Amino acid sequence: MAKMTEQFKEPLYQAVPAVKNKRIFNMTRDKWNFGPYLVDKAVDELIEQVSRSQK
């Protein structure tokens, strides 16, 4: 997970137009593949990110 979040900071990734225009939500896979409880938490985090971006 830490390696993936570090890649989000790379200049090449940051140069992607969708990233520059804040049209990308960075998600790691640490909760998506480990059962319904963690998936629920991941969905909650995604909803929170989308809500923050709407403000």
Side-chain angles (χ1 to χ4, degrees):
M1 180 178 94
K3 186 175 183 179
M4 183 179 285
T5 55
E6 287 300 314
Q7 290 177 344
F8 294 152
K9 298 174 186 173
E10 292 291 325
L12 181 62
Y13 181 79
Q14 292 296 317
V16 173
V19 175
K20 280 181 161 180
N21 295 319
K22 302 197 183 303
R23 296 190 182 268
I24 298 288
F25 295 101
N26 295 320
M27 305 298 293
T28 60
R29 298 181 70 192
D30 63 331
K31 294 182 180 140
W32 289 99
N33 297 329
F34 298 104
Y37 174 73
L38 288 178
V39 169
D40 282 345
K41 287 185 75 162
V43 169
D44 290 342
E45 288 177 14
L46 178 59
I47 291 169
E48 185 177 313
Q49 280 190 26
V50 171
S51 295
R52 278 185 278 165
S53 74
Q54 300 297 316
K55 293 180 181 179

